[in-house]
Amino acid sequence: MGTGKRRPLGDRYQLISPTGRDGPGIIWRAHDLRLRRDVAIKEIQPLFRADGADLDGARRRAMREARSAARLSHPAVVAVHDLLEEGGRLWIVMELLEALTLKETVAHLGHLPVHWTAWIGFQLLGGLRHAHGAGVLHRDINPGNILLTGDRVVLADFGIAALNGDPSASTTVPLHCAPAYVAPERLRGLTASPAADLWSFGASLYFAVEGRPPYPGSDSLAVLGEAVNRDPDPPVKAGPLRRVLEGLLRRDPSDRITADHAARLLSAILRMEGVAVDPPRLPAARLPPDSFAR
């Protein structure tokens, strides 16, 4: 049945067309009839088990994603407007961004120049520091979740986000997560942390400037084995970014550079390249207990 015959979700949102996937969900372009603006709506699809669809799991995942993203307000984090349940399905209403992912951009260009990569990293790190300052861990940063709009860099898909220190958060890495962008300690079953997000952030910048992931290959099991057992290959195209990448991709999370340190290094690279940026600042939110800053 065509989407034109659908009744508006919540008597407010008219679905127009699907635009892609976001983890285990479908993204729709839709129109908010009340505010008369287009929005993006993520339809959360349940995972299937031997005894059928995991509807309760889908509901928990939708609530976690919406609540995690909704507590954040930063240009580098996708804005969440609404959450509704209808017809046994969960729907998250978000801002609509006309954007390419970092993954798509690198696929078109081969790799990005150092100053582009540094600018993307500096903008994205602002959103990540804001999230960590609010106690939110993303846990799935990769080039497919980084959106480039032309004047914004936006982190999307908080589908497996968790609150820092939440004992109920699973330590299992979901199957849809690309192992080349998951911190080694998480692949070994340890709890996610801000440092693990920073490893994934560094792996995404490595992909941008090198044109390939830190552990290349199409065999997920082989990539997983390499990611657990060895350091990434040294970057060869990164130039002054090499210091940032090597600091972020240290296997021991306690040795990894902090977000503040990475922000200072990236801003220095941009100034050296003649790109004006504001000095890096600490997040406005108070850091949570058990602060990860060194």
Side-chain angles (χ1 to χ4, degrees):
M1 181 173 65
T3 59
K5 296 182 180 180
R6 290 177 182 264
R7 183 172 64 85
L9 294 174
D11 294 322
R12 176 174 178 176
Y13 304 105
Q14 182 66 63
L15 297 180
I16 298 173
S17 61
T19 61
R21 299 194 67 88
D22 189 359
I26 296 177
I27 304 295
W28 293 81
R29 188 184 190 100
H31 187 69
D32 182 342
L33 300 173
R34 186 175 302 168
L35 296 181
R36 298 182 181 179
R37 64 178 179 182
D38 284 353
V39 294
I41 298 185
K42 181 175 181 178
E43 176 187 357
I44 303 295
Q45 295 188 313
L47 301 176
F48 284 87
R49 306 178 302 189
D51 56 350
D54 184 8
L55 296 177
D56 287 340
R59 183 175 290 105
R60 288 193 300 270
R61 191 168 67 250
M63 291 296 294
R64 182 173 62 239
E65 176 172 0
R67 287 173 174 170
S68 295
R71 68 188 291 168
L72 306 177
S73 178
H74 192 279
V77 176
V78 67
V80 169
H81 301 315
D82 201 358
L83 172 67
L84 59 149
E85 182 173 359
E86 189 165 302
R89 301 181 186 181
L90 281 298
W91 310 79
I92 300 174
V93 184
M94 304 173 290
E95 65 174 318
L96 179 66
L97 296 171
E98 304 290 352
L100 288 176
T101 67
L102 179 60
K103 182 178 180 180
E104 292 168 333
T105 303
V106 171
H108 287 309
L109 300 177
H111 71 95
L112 302 187
V114 168
H115 66 286
W116 285 16
T117 305
W119 185 83
I120 289 169
F122 185 81
Q123 302 301 321
L124 188 67
L125 193 55
L128 189 57
R129 294 164 80 214
H130 173 74
H132 289 172
V136 175
L137 305 175
H138 188 280
R139 303 201 303 170
D140 190 21
I141 298 171
N142 67 73
N145 289 337
I146 298 170
L147 307 180
L148 309 178
T149 71
D151 59 351
R152 287 174 64 192
V153 180
V154 182
L155 183 59
D157 192 3
F158 281 74
I160 63 168
L163 297 183
N164 190 17
D166 181 359
S168 67
S170 172
T171 59
T172 302
V173 178
L175 291 176
H176 73 267
C177 290
Y181 300 100
V182 180
E185 65 271 20
R186 290 198 61 214
L187 294 174
R188 295 195 299 268
L190 299 182
T191 304
S193 67
D197 269 356
L198 287 171
W199 198 97
S200 301
F201 165 73
S204 298
L205 296 189
Y206 183 108
F207 168 80
V209 75
E210 295 293 308
R212 63 176 182 85
Y215 300 101
S218 56
D219 185 330
S220 294
L221 288 179
V223 171
L224 178 62
E226 291 198 352
V228 169
N229 294 309
R230 72 171 183 87
D231 291 332
D233 292 333
V236 297
K237 302 173 183 175
L241 270 175
R242 179 166 178 163
R243 182 182 174 192
V244 181
L245 299 181
E246 291 181 341
L248 291 168
L249 297 179
R250 292 173 184 164
R251 299 179 60 75
D252 185 343
S254 65
D255 286 340
R256 234 163 264 159
I257 62 174
T258 64
D260 294 341
H261 189 178
R264 290 194 297 270
L265 292 176
L266 289 170
S267 64
I269 292 170
L270 289 170
R271 287 196 300 271
M272 183 176 64
E273 295 284 343
V275 180
V277 293
D278 292 331
R281 292 186 294 269
L282 284 171
R286 182 184 299 274
L287 292 174
D290 301 322
S291 170
F292 54 87
R294 290 195 274 136

